[in-house]
Every structure is written in C-alpha cells, then in structure tokens.
Amino acid sequence: MRLKASLIAAIGALTVTGVGAPAMAEELPGWLSYAAGPSQTAVASALAAPAAAHDDVDTEHIFGFSMGSDIGKKGEIELEIENVGRFGRRFGSYTGIGVLSQVKFTLTDNFRVAPGISFASTQVSGVPGMIDNRRTAIAGASMEFRYKVLDRDVMPFGLTLHAAPSWNRIDELTGFDAQIYGTEFAALMDKELIRGKLFAAFNLWYSGGASRDLTNTWSHDSEFAVQGALSYKVNSMLIVGVEARYVRAYEGLGLDRFSGDAVYVGPTFSTHLTEKIGLSGTWSTQVAGKACNDPRHLNLDDFERHQAMLRLNYLF
C-alpha cells in the first residue's frame, strides 16, 4: 500500500510540474493527456513570441545613401552629422566635402522635423571648365520634414515621405559665393525580406534649385534619382549591404532639359558603437553614365567618379 501511494504521489507531482509535457498529448495515456494541453500551449506561445516581436533594427540609415522608412519613436531627439564626399573628374584634381549637422525631433509616431546647418569644403585644381579654388566655410541651412505613411510592421512595406527646403550661400560644387534656394522630395520605401536579417529599400528622389552667382546671373537645375539597396544583419552590432543608384541631371527646375545620367554602385555598412551612438556609410563608384555633349564613357561633367558618405548618429 505504501508503494502504491508513493507511486500515485509521484505521478501527481510529475503531472502538476509538467515534467511530462515534452511528450505529445496523443503519446500519453488518456488519463494523463489532459495535463499536457496547458503545458504545450504555454510552450507554443513562448516559441511564437519572438517571431511576433519587433526587430531591433532602425532601417533609416542601414542602406547608405538610400534610406529606410523608420523615423524613430515619439519623443526621441537625435543628433546627426552626415559627411558626403565627392571625388574625381575626368582631368585634374577635384574634392568636394559637404557636412550636414541636424537635430531630429520626432514629434509623433508618424512625424519628424530636423533643422540643420551645413559646411562645405572644396578643392579644385586643373579641372577643365572650373576655376581653381580651395575653400572651407559655413554653407547654409535647411529644414527637413518626414511623415510616415505606412508602418512596415503592420503593412506589406514601409513608406515615408521626405521634404527638405534649403538655403546656401556657397556653391558646394565650385566653392564660390552664390545664393542658392533649393528643395528635395523623396518617397522612402523599405521591406523586411527575412525577419530580423535581410532588409530591402527603394527610394525615389527629386531635387531642384535656383542659384544666383557673383555676376547676378540666375540658373536653374534639377535631378531625379532611383535608388535601391539590400542590407543583411550579420550580428547585433553590424549590418552590411550593397546599394545601386541611377541619377539623371537636368537643366531647369521641372526636369526640363536632360543633360546626362550616371549609375553608382557600392557597399554599405551600419554599426552600433555604443547603445546610443551609431555609425554608417558607403563608398559608391560610377560604373556607367553619359553626358549629352560628351560621347566618352561615364558622365564626369555632371557627376563625380566617386561619392562617399559617413554618418554619425547620437540618440539623447
């Protein structure tokens, strides 16, 4: 009797603690199968929870020049310093560096503003059609607006609209004084192809401006770009990828007179230096292109041979 009572007590303890839960209900005797149900449900819920959780990737800056639809959470304040370098013309020596410093204020879950100030450094020597010049100075100011239309976590893809009017007192291309009034508009789309691992972005960009040079002559120009990128999360600290951009240059604000195009391809990276500091960048090389008035390979009249970007973000 004591042995029987001990056996019954042991079985009861196993049932209550769920030690027998790993076995499927149909593999258990009928009088124990009811005990497996709750345990299996709990295990299934625990296994399903990570899949339903939000990934820890902010897609805005993981694609190089291309950008994802994320804009941060409501109430976030972020400092961003973006350095863009442009290197190489067909002849001579050319280097142009633009630095844009912004403070981003995410006012709601869908809307963000970011005032910014820009610096420019230009070094031109022996480039046909350009005057030799070396200059570094404060270039101008801008105001960026972003509105998230589609949230990638609940919709098939993410979509954010971007607008950024700007004013510059220096022509970043030549380094000489000018009055430049410009703006840019973009549709920023992204999608998570493999949960928490592989991300894709597709962007449409328009930029245009009116400039007045030292001779008081006005000129107007515009650009249209289609950009795509893939990024893969290697680990919790590093994301790497590749980006391709197709850019068309026009005379006139309304994409009026086509002057040339270019295709850029290059690798991208994004990493977390600390919990609050992020670093991202890319190096793009012009692999195809043509200027309207130049039959030679590559468009080195409207664009540079190489374009690079290094971006530092600090989240307060």
Side-chain angles (χ1 to χ4, degrees):
M1 293 297 292
R2 291 181 179 178
L3 178 60
K4 183 177 180 181
S6 300
L7 180 59
I8 293 174
I11 292 175
L14 290 175
T15 303
V16 173
T17 58
V19 174
M24 298 300 292
E26 57 270 21
E27 296 175 353
L28 296 174
W31 56 280
L32 281 179
S33 61
Y34 78 93
S39 298
Q40 290 177 17
T41 302
V43 172
S45 299
L47 292 176
H54 187 286
D55 63 80
D56 59 350
V57 175
D58 186 327
T59 62
E60 181 179 4
H61 294 320
I62 67 172
F63 299 110
F65 285 106
S66 302
M67 295 188 184
S69 65
D70 289 349
I71 63 171
K73 299 178 182 179
K74 178 182 178 180
E76 283 186 350
I77 300 176
E78 184 177 15
L79 170 66
E80 177 177 296
I81 302 175
E82 182 182 84
N83 306 272
V84 175
R86 309 179 310 277
F87 310 99
R89 293 281 172 160
R90 194 172 300 279
F91 301 105
S93 174
Y94 179 84
T95 298
I97 305 292
V99 180
L100 175 62
S101 299
Q102 292 180 308
V103 180
K104 301 178 178 181
F105 300 92
T106 306
L107 303 182
T108 72
D109 289 334
N110 297 92
F111 183 64
R112 190 183 75 194
V113 298
I117 184 171
S118 59
F119 301 83
S121 177
T122 306
Q123 299 183 25
V124 183
S125 177
V127 177
M130 299 183 70
I131 301 174
D132 290 1
N133 189 23
R134 290 177 176 268
R135 188 179 185 186
T136 299
I138 297 176
S142 64
M143 177 65 80
E144 177 188 279
F145 303 92
R146 288 201 181 179
Y147 182 78
K148 183 190 292 185
V149 179
L150 301 177
D151 189 332
R152 65 186 178 89
D153 288 327
V154 296
M155 302 299 290
F157 62 93
L159 169 62
T160 291
L161 301 181
H162 162 97
S166 62
W167 166 81
N168 285 292
R169 55 183 288 271
I170 291 177
D171 186 340
E172 292 188 359
L173 176 65
T174 64
F176 290 102
D177 289 341
Q179 294 292 325
I180 302 174
Y181 304 90
T183 189
E184 61 182 21
F185 300 98
L188 313 175
M189 291 163 274
D190 61 2
K191 184 176 179 61
E192 197 169 359
L193 301 180
I194 299 177
R195 186 69 182 177
K197 281 294 184 182
L198 184 63
F199 303 83
F202 180 75
N203 293 177
L204 298 174
W205 287 82
Y206 162 86
S207 61
S211 59
R212 182 176 61 183
D213 59 22
L214 294 176
T215 64
N216 206 33
T217 301
W218 284 92
S219 62
H220 304 83
D221 58 79
S222 53
E223 289 184 3
F224 178 75
V226 178
Q227 304 177 174
L230 287 172
S231 290
Y232 180 79
K233 184 178 178 182
V234 178
N235 53 47
S236 61
M237 298 292 293
L238 179 64
I239 297 175
V240 298
V242 62
E243 176 186 43
R245 297 182 293 133
Y246 175 63
V247 191
R248 294 173 64 89
Y250 294 84
E251 296 178 4
L253 286 174
L255 307 178
D256 302 315
R257 296 173 296 280
F258 176 68
S259 61
D261 59 3
V263 177
Y264 287 90
V265 176
T268 67
F269 81 93
S270 175
T271 185
H272 287 287
L273 301 180
T274 69
E275 183 181 354
K276 293 183 176 293
I277 300 177
L279 188 69
S280 59
T282 182
W283 182 281
S284 292
T285 299
Q286 188 179 153
V287 297
K290 190 175 290 274
C292 285
N293 299 322
D294 191 343
R296 291 171 292 185
H297 178 61
L298 300 183
N299 182 356
L300 299 179
D301 293 338
D302 301 302
F303 305 102
E304 296 77 26
R305 187 179 298 273
H306 305 283
Q307 295 182 353
M309 183 271 298
L310 185 65
R311 182 188 294 115
L312 179 70
N313 293 86
Y314 179 80
L315 183 64
F316 290 96

